Structures are given as C-alpha cells and as structure tokens.
Amino acid sequence: MSKIIKGPSTRELMAQMVQESEHLSINDRRDFLRKGVAAAAGMAATTIAGSSIASEVNKANLPPNEPAWGKQLGHGVVEHPYGSPSKFENHVVRRTVPWLTADSIASISMTPLQDLKGIITPNGLVFERYHGGVPQIPVEEHRLIIHGLVERPIIFTMEDLMRFPSVSEIKFIECPANGGMEWKGAQMEALQFTHGMLSCCEWTGVPLKVLLEEAGVKPEGKWILAEGADGSHMSRSIPIEKALEDTLVVYAQNGEMLRPEQGYPLRLLNPGWEGNTSIKWLRRLEVGDKPWYHREETSKYTDLMPDGRARKFTFVQETNSVITSPCPEKPMVKPGFVEIEGLAWSGRGKIKQVDISFDGGVTWVPAKLKGLVLDKALTRFSLVTKWDGQPWLLQSRSIDETGYVQPTLSQLRKVRGGNSIYHKNSIHTWKVAPTGEVTNVQIT
Amino acid sequence: MFKSLDNKLKKSLMALGLGAAIAASGLANAGQFNIGTTATPEEIAGWDIDIRPDGMGLPEGQGTVEAGEEQYEALCATCHGLFGEGEGRWPVLAGGQDTLTEERPTKTVGSYWPYASTLYDYIRRAMPFTAPRSLSDQQVYDITAYVLYLNEIVDEDFVLTKDNLATIEMPNQDNFFVDPRPDVKNTRCMKNCADPKKLQIAGTLRGITPVGHFVEGADAPAASHDAQMEQEHNKEKVRKASLKGEEVTSSNGGGASALSESATAGQSTYDGACKVCHGSGLTGSPKIGDIDAWAGRIKQGMPVLVEHAIKGFTGDTGVMPPKGGRVDLSDKQVEDAVAYMVESSR
C-alpha cells in the first residue's frame, strides 16, 4: 500500500527559501530564489543532481543486441578463492574525513550506509576505529586471561574458547561520536559522514557470563576491566551487571572469523553500548570492586556539559534514525513513485515505530518497519510515496520499546550545549531540492 | 552477592533494565565446563598493567620532574609539544584551565582529567605512540611527574612515588557525574508540531568533507586517509608552484615496482614504526614521496641517513629520535626502512 504525501504549499516553501537564503550574498540569493521559483512553477525535476555518476553506456550491449558477455566465457571456479564484490561496485567503500584525527593509525572510517541494503553490514564495510592500528595476531598465539576477584584465574586459547557452546546474535555497533561533528552546525555533506560510524553484524561467540562462571566471580566483584592486545592496549571498565546481561566474547562476524579490523581473533561485544566498550583484540578481563577510570573513560568518552561538569560512564546509545534513501549521495532519481528508506536503532531494545516528516517536523506520518525487528539491531523502515519535484525537508523520528522518542536537535542542545561531542542522536534533516539534489541541513 | 552497588549507578543500571541479572547468577560456583588452564601468577603479572585511582597496580619505584623532563623531550615532545601544547592535531597535554565552559574548551591533563593514576596507566599501556610498552616503570614515573609539573599540579622538585600518586588532587576531579540519561523527553506529535514560519534552516558548511565520490564521479583514491592527505598535499604543492610559475609533476614517487630487496624488507618496519611521522610529514619530518623534501637528504648518502635514523638527529626542521623511539628495532630493520623511504621518494 502506498501513501501519497501532500507537500507544503508553494507559498510556504517560498517563505522557507527566502528565510534560508538570507545568509547568501545578493547574487547567490537571486540565483537561489530564481531556481526555487522555476521549481515551484513545475519546470524542475528534469535536471537531476548526481547524474554525472552514471558511466557511459555502450549501446552495443543493449537490446536488441546480444551483449558482449553473452558471446564469450567467463572465469571458472576458484579463480578468486575468496570472492570480492563486482568491480562495478568499487565505489562502495569505507571513507574517512582526514582532518578529524592526527593520523590514520588512531582514527576512524565510516560505513557507506548509502549503498547498503537490509540490516547487515558486509564485513569489509564495517566502520573502523583504531587507537593504535590493526595488529596481525596469529590465532594460535592469542590468549585471553580472566583474573582478579575470581576463584580460579584462567588463561584461554582460541581453541578453548571455541569449545564453549556458542551463540549468534545480530547487534549494531555505533561509535558514540557518530554525528558528533554536527553539534554546532551541519558540516558533513554526506550520509556516510553524518551517520557512518555505525554497522550491524551477526556476531558469534560465548556469553561473557559463561566465562565468568567458569572462573567463579567473588562476591565483591563489581566491575570488569577489558583490555586489548593491540599497541594501544585499549581498556574500558564494564559494570558486572552488563557482563551478566548480554555481553558476548566474540570470534566471528557474519559467518566467518572476525576481520583483523574488527578484532581478530577475539573481541568483546557490549550490545547497545558505545562501540569503544566492545574492546577489540581482547586479551584480558580483570574483575575488580571499582572502576579503573582509564584514559578512554575520563579524558575521552565523557560528555562535557555547559556548566563545565562532565558525565561519565555514558554507556548506552539512545534511539536514533536516519533516512538513507534519498540522501546526499543518492539524490532523487526522477519524479514519480519513490520509496523513502532508512535505518533506526536503539541501545535500549527494539524499535517500536518510525515516523517521517516531509515538512521539517511540522507534520508526521508513520513509516513501515520492514524485515527483521531485533533487539539492539539496525531496523529498516520504509514509506512509499510520490515526488513531483516539490522541495522537501525530510526527517525521520524513531521510538523504541521503552517509549523513548528520538529528540530534536534543539532539545538536546538545550540540555547538553554544544561541546559534549558524544551521543548526538537528534532527528536529522535532508533538504530535497526541486532538482532532486539532497543536502544536509539543520532545523532549529 | 552484589548487594552493595553504588546507589546512583545502581539506579542508572536499573534504568537500563540490567537489574534482574544481578540476582541468582550463581557465579561463584566455578568451572562447569572445565575449559581453559589455570593462569599462573607469572603469566598474569606480565599482562596485569592497569593502575586504578586508589593506586592499585602501581609498581615499586619513583620518579622526578627533572628526570622526566629529559625523557619527555626525547620521547613525547615531537607530538605533544615541548610544553604540552600539542603539535598538529596530536593531544594537548597542558594548559586549558578554566576553559571547560568556553565556546572552545581545551581538555588537558590539568584542566580535565580527574585522576593522576590515569596518566601513569595510559603512558604505561600505550605511549610513546610509535613504541608502546617500551618504557620502564622508572621512565613512566619520571614522565608522569613531568606532565603533572607541566600542568602546575606538582613543583619542580617533586618526587612521585608508588605511595603518593593516589593522593595527588587533580583540579577537575569533582566535576564528573554518572550519566543521567534519558535527559530529554520528546513526544510523538503528528500534526502542527512546529510553526512553519519559525523554522530556522541552516545549510551545510561546504567544502570540508570529501564528496568527490558522488559529486564528481568515482573518488577511489580519496577513499583512504592517506590518499586524501596526499591529494591535499598535491593540491597545496600545485598552488604554491603556481605562485612561482613552476610546472608540477606528481609528488608521489611511484617507484614501488623498482624497490630493492632492502627497501622491500623495510616496508613493514616503515608501516609499523616510521609512517606515523613520515607518512604525514609530522613536525618537520620529510614526508615519504615528497621528492623535494628528500632530495637534499638523499644527497648525503645512505650511510649518513641510516646513522641519523639509528642514533637520532636534530635538523633544521625537526628532531629524529634514535630509531624513532623504537629502540627494539635492529639496526638492519632501521636501515631497510630508510631504504624504503628513500626509494619511495625520488
């Protein structure tokens, strides 16, 4: 079933455009408004932004001709023992924004959400976050030690760990800094950069609870220090309640052993919590009675408030959502029917509802959740509608099973100011121009 | 068990729905699978490197500001600056007091960090960046003392010890509190949720994100951090040259296929040890592939370059620490890495 959404009236849109163009120089503004008027008058939607992407088409390969690949043989089996995507998909890659970090070794890259389907992120496209680069660890030389306030300190080989009964669960991982560059204003010109510190995989491993039971936690054990084997020896303190609830010690993702970038051969996974707590290249778990207050839970990953005080242990990734089609990378193709699609997720459980607005949050309509709707996993939403070249201010708003409604940017800023860096989960806006071009804007 | 949880934390954990798991976990009944080997005290001791605010984990020893200054200048200043002011985008360590409520706060050890123990722990586990776990406990005490001194938290004659580290009061220690979220409450409004006339729409600041992949067509080279930096570097070179009226060829040496055996062997050492500075030209180091920057150096001949790389060197543009701080590398590894950089830069 499809819904036809009535757009705002031309007069309303013109008023918006005037308001929007106020920061432009006189000439730019005249241009801007002229284009807007042309669109409103129905002359638009023939020029489509992003059309330059399309490579040249060889008509000899189109009907009624028999295409070249139908007149010859292709390569045989095991030409590529481990297959790769089609060479025509080589634009689907992780990307970074170089100025975010001093160097690529302690840096972050983003998942191309604009090109992905469903809810699973392919292993080669899961966003990267390293604090000391990717170590190459021989699986037979990796060890996990559990010690501290336990009855029996244990050292596990990977072979040991893979003997435990395993579980497989689909969970998202998100960097708490996802979107964090935009607390003070829109500055990322693409979905990959506004929301790409986000991925979702099927993870296989052992519940941490099982390993803790194997070691026998002493009654005074309240916190667990997780530490990586890489050069940064990344460490975080995890409350034992989380460890007993749903933390996994993971060795596989999407059916194969972890990628080196994701912690091969072993990582922690704290579902729904900020990604850096899911320590990669996991080598040590120490049970203690208090948190450790290490660098990544004091200097970093604490949220500075306007009064100069800071929040600590801001673990959970609250409900968030974003429209992935259209987006700046995937502008409107042509007038007519269009499926608006996006992703919603919550660190507190399942997504209950997603609503979509075409007018910058004045009016909302329910979207449909499609495919799997899982606890702490990406959830895809969809709304089929029609676009006739009218400008849109597209937004999505998710609600999770706790009833928490994704907030507006103004609501977040009012409480947290502009310097808290992490956990910006506000409603996001794409401006759809009459040309079909989609740009990132902020509405307050 | 688990009855004496800090109330505040307990409340926030309950809010996350974690309360139920605390009861009846039966955790103390160890070993139902009997998998894994009992870890020996020696095995644990080698990896148990963490320090806590109460001093738990600190090794025997002590350090002085004076000794720390020498260590810091040799091992830390390249990235963090002589006074902790930070080079490039590397972390600022000192200063920033009373800026936390400003438009652009400067979060440093002195202005932000709540515990001195974190400094010891972090230096011990991860610094120096190019050679983690290479410092002795003594060096960590010295450098910790010096960074505290840079932040005016201790005096120049201060002696940092296993026993007094936990008693150091950090200026910002009382200003952290447990996460109170959810802290905002939006409602599911469906109609007339805002006044269209009052909507403020702000566009994106253009030109600061790499968008070539969808604006101009494929940008495969710009997909990586290094390649993007390379593009920026080349653009800058072209811009500078155009001011001088010169013609420019690509600065990327591109001699990868012609690498000698030594250079080929040196690539992995370069990646793991040298790239962090020579990949970006950090603090005056000659950037790999920058033909101009290397030409004068290459003229001095390999023996001189290798000696500088092994023993350290202070030049006009910056400081090369002995083996780049990676004293664990053999002379041969350094020599190979130099060959790799030289052959990639002419």
Side-chain angles (χ1 to χ4, degrees):
Chain A
M1 199 183 79
S2 66
K3 292 192 177 70
I4 306 296
I5 306 303
K6 193 177 172 301
S9 74
T10 303
R11 191 193 301 181
E12 280 170 356
L13 285 165
M14 282 311 298
Q16 273 181 3
M17 284 183 167
V18 168
Q19 198 175 6
E20 221 179 323
S21 67
E22 262 160 15
H23 65 284
L24 299 173
S25 73
I26 275 289
N27 281 338
D28 288 348
R29 196 174 166 196
R30 192 167 47 216
D31 255 24
F32 179 90
L33 291 175
R34 192 188 300 135
K35 280 177 196 156
V37 171
M43 290 159 62
T46 45
T47 323
I48 298 299
S51 57
S52 58
I53 298 169
S55 53
E56 257 179 52
V57 168
N58 182 356
K59 287 194 174 145
N61 287 326
L62 299 181
N65 304 314
E66 180 63 38
W69 46 91
K71 294 189 280 193
Q72 63 185 56
L73 300 177
H75 71 69
V77 298
V78 211
E79 173 88 13
H80 305 292
Y82 193 108
S84 309
S86 162
K87 64 180 180 181
F88 303 110
E89 295 298 319
N90 65 3
H91 58 286
V92 183
V93 291
R94 295 183 283 229
R95 291 183 177 84
T96 187
V97 179
W99 53 262
L100 285 177
T101 53
D103 186 84
S104 67
I105 294 169
S107 189
I108 189 153
S109 71
M110 292 80 159
T111 292
L113 298 175
Q114 69 279 6
D115 293 303
L116 300 187
K117 315 296 176 195
I119 60 169
I120 297 292
T121 310
N123 287 340
L125 297 176
V126 174
F127 79 93
E128 306 160 282
R129 175 66 172 115
Y130 318 132
H131 293 79
V134 181
Q136 302 295 329
I137 304 176
V139 64
E140 66 276 10
E141 291 177 17
H142 189 73
R143 295 291 181 275
L144 171 66
I145 294 182
I146 299 184
H147 71 109
L149 297 174
V150 295
E151 300 295 338
R152 178 175 80 108
I154 309 181
I155 183 165
F156 292 109
T157 63
M158 285 303 299
E159 194 177 65
D160 290 334
L161 291 167
M162 294 173 78
R163 281 178 62 207
F164 284 97
S166 68
V167 296
S168 293
E169 294 183 7
I170 296 175
K171 303 289 180 190
F172 76 82
I173 291 192
E174 184 183 22
C175 176
N178 202 16
M181 297 83 89
E182 303 210 302
W183 274 105
K184 294 178 180 175
Q187 57 173 355
M188 297 287 123
E189 292 183 64
L191 168 64
Q192 187 161 7
F193 306 129
T194 61
H195 288 82
M197 301 177 190
L198 171 72
S199 297
C200 184
C201 297
E202 182 195 48
W203 307 96
T204 300
V206 188
L208 178 52
K209 180 171 188 279
V210 172
L211 301 184
L212 291 175
E213 282 171 351
E214 199 68 8
V217 174
K218 291 180 177 174
E220 59 273 31
K222 300 291 190 299
W223 288 80
I224 295 171
L225 182 76
E227 179 185 274
D230 60 308
S232 78
H233 302 93
M234 175 83 183
S235 57
R236 284 293 313 248
S237 306
I238 315 289
I240 200 155
E241 291 77 11
K242 178 69 174 175
L244 299 181
E245 171 77 12
D246 61 359
T247 303
L248 300 179
V249 173
V250 160
Y251 46 76
Q253 63 180 125
N254 294 336
E256 63 181 358
M257 288 297 280
L258 289 171
R259 290 290 170 92
E261 301 97 311
Q262 297 306 316
Y264 180 87
L266 194 68
R267 76 174 300 168
L268 206 61
L269 181 77
N270 284 306
W273 280 20
E274 48 186 20
N276 63 81
T277 65
S278 293
I279 298 291
K280 298 193 280 195
W281 313 290
L282 182 71
R283 75 163 186 180
R284 193 164 69 91
L285 294 164
E286 179 174 352
V287 181
D289 60 347
K290 287 183 278 193
W292 276 258
Y293 290 102
H294 281 174
R295 192 240 195 187
E296 315 298 343
E297 50 204 17
T298 54
S299 168
K300 308 292 175 189
Y301 306 117
T302 48
D303 307 19
L304 183 61
M305 295 294 119
D307 66 357
R309 299 194 309 145
R311 296 175 178 176
K312 60 180 178 181
F313 303 126
T314 48
F315 291 125
V316 75
Q317 295 293 110
E318 295 187 297
T319 306
N320 202 345
S321 72
V322 68
I323 289 170
T324 58
S325 178
C327 66
E329 297 97 316
K330 302 282 173 186
M332 303 299 280
V333 179
K334 55 178 70 165
F337 283 94
V338 58
E339 182 179 21
I340 310 289
E341 269 199 84
L343 294 167
W345 62 100
S346 168
R348 290 202 182 92
K350 290 179 184 171
I351 292 298
K352 192 172 74 182
Q353 176 66 49
V354 177
D355 301 316
I356 289 179
S357 175
F358 294 82
D359 58 10
V362 178
T363 313
W364 294 84
V365 290
K368 189 180 78 177
L369 303 185
K370 65 177 192 180
L372 296 170
V373 180
L374 300 172
D375 176 74
K376 300 170 190 129
L378 291 188
T379 301
R380 194 160 276 271
F381 60 85
S382 152
L383 180 66
V384 175
T385 185
K386 204 177 169 195
W387 180 66
D388 290 323
Q390 69 272 42
W392 274 342
L393 290 166
L394 264 183
Q395 297 182 327
S396 65
R397 178 182 69 191
S398 58
I399 303 169
D400 70 12
E401 62 181 335
T402 71
Y404 175 92
V405 181
Q406 185 182 356
T408 65
L409 182 58
S410 305
Q411 286 172 326
L412 281 189
R413 277 189 185 147
K414 195 173 164 195
V415 176
R416 305 186 198 165
N419 281 321
S420 58
I421 302 176
Y422 309 106
H423 301 295
K424 182 184 160 295
N425 64 321
S426 54
I427 291 169
H428 195 81
T429 312
W430 297 134
K431 189 181 91 168
V432 179
T435 58
E437 186 190 21
V438 178
T439 49
N440 177 19
V441 299
Q442 285 190 347
I443 293 186
T444 50
Chain B
M1 61 185 89
F2 312 122
K3 275 178 191 152
S4 54
L5 260 186
D6 174 67
N7 266 344
K8 226 174 178 180
L9 180 64
K10 189 171 181 179
K11 208 177 145 199
S12 77
L13 289 169
M14 291 296 254
L16 294 171
L18 298 179
I22 304 173
S25 65
L27 273 187
N29 304 322
Q32 62 162 316
F33 290 97
N34 198 25
I35 295 175
T37 315
T38 301
T40 67
E42 293 72 32
E43 284 173 327
I44 295 170
W47 281 13
D48 186 4
I49 56 174
D50 55 83
I51 315 297
R52 239 171 35 176
D54 59 6
M56 190 189 84
L58 279 170
E60 296 299 330
Q62 60 178 47
T64 64
V65 171
E66 193 184 353
E69 179 176 16
E70 197 178 320
Q71 303 281 350
Y72 178 91
E73 290 181 0
L75 295 166
C76 319
T78 317
C79 294
H80 294 295
L82 272 180
F83 306 100
E85 73 278 19
E87 295 284 348
R89 295 188 191 95
W90 298 96
V92 179
L93 297 185
Q97 269 79 359
D98 303 319
T99 64
L100 296 182
T101 55
E102 290 179 1
E103 174 65 20
R104 294 195 174 277
T106 303
K107 293 191 273 188
T108 70
V109 172
S111 73
Y112 195 62
W113 293 31
Y115 302 107
S117 61
T118 311
L119 192 55
Y120 191 103
D121 177 89
Y122 188 67
I123 296 169
R124 189 191 209 196
R125 76 174 51 247
M127 290 290 111
F129 188 58
T130 53
R133 304 287 293 124
S134 65
L135 301 177
S136 66
D137 294 339
Q138 170 73 51
Q139 285 177 299
V140 181
Y141 271 115
D142 289 336
I143 295 169
T144 302
Y146 187 67
V147 174
L148 291 171
Y149 167 75
L150 283 178
N151 280 283
E152 299 175 4
I153 291 166
V154 301
D155 296 327
E156 60 189 325
D157 53 0
F158 183 75
V159 179
L160 182 68
T161 70
K162 177 177 190 279
D163 298 317
N164 69 13
L165 193 147
T167 66
I168 292 171
E169 294 195 2
M170 299 293 275
N172 196 43
Q173 65 183 18
D174 295 329
N175 290 322
F176 289 82
F177 61 104
V178 171
D179 183 13
R181 291 176 303 156
D183 55 349
V184 290
K185 192 168 166 50
N186 198 4
T187 51
R188 194 186 176 212
C189 168
M190 301 304 281
K191 276 182 187 168
N192 302 318
C193 305
D195 182 349
K197 292 189 198 78
K198 288 187 180 162
L199 292 183
Q200 297 289 319
I201 303 164
T204 312
L205 198 55
R206 293 287 177 126
I208 61 169
T209 48
V211 293
H213 56 290
F214 63 95
V215 174
E216 295 155 13
D219 76 331
S224 78
H225 194 281
D226 290 349
Q228 288 177 22
M229 292 303 229
E230 188 63 43
Q231 279 191 346
E232 290 308 308
H233 182 74
N234 285 342
K235 267 190 225 160
E236 182 61 16
K237 219 174 151 186
V238 170
R239 193 187 66 80
K240 279 184 185 164
S242 73
L243 295 177
K244 292 187 256 168
E246 292 170 6
E247 268 190 48
V248 177
T249 49
S250 166
S251 77
N252 199 349
S257 59
L259 288 182
S260 69
E261 199 176 316
S262 169
T264 306
Q267 183 167 4
S268 69
T269 302
Y270 167 80
D271 285 342
C274 321
K275 189 178 169 187
V276 61
C277 293
H278 291 282
S280 58
L282 179 69
T283 59
S285 64
K287 185 179 183 309
I288 192 167
D290 186 338
I291 295 165
D292 297 343
W294 280 92
R297 292 174 167 91
I298 292 172
K299 265 189 212 154
Q300 300 173 52
M302 274 297 280
V304 174
L305 293 184
V306 171
E307 187 184 326
H308 286 170
I310 292 172
K311 294 185 179 164
F313 176 72
T314 302
D316 296 338
T317 58
V319 178
M320 170 73 197
K323 296 185 177 178
R326 283 286 302 276
V327 286
D328 59 303
L329 295 174
S330 70
D331 290 358
K332 178 74 171 74
Q333 283 175 302
V334 176
E335 184 180 341
D336 289 345
V338 172
Y340 176 72
M341 284 186 275
V342 164
E343 292 179 27
S344 303
S345 310
R346 59 186 178 200

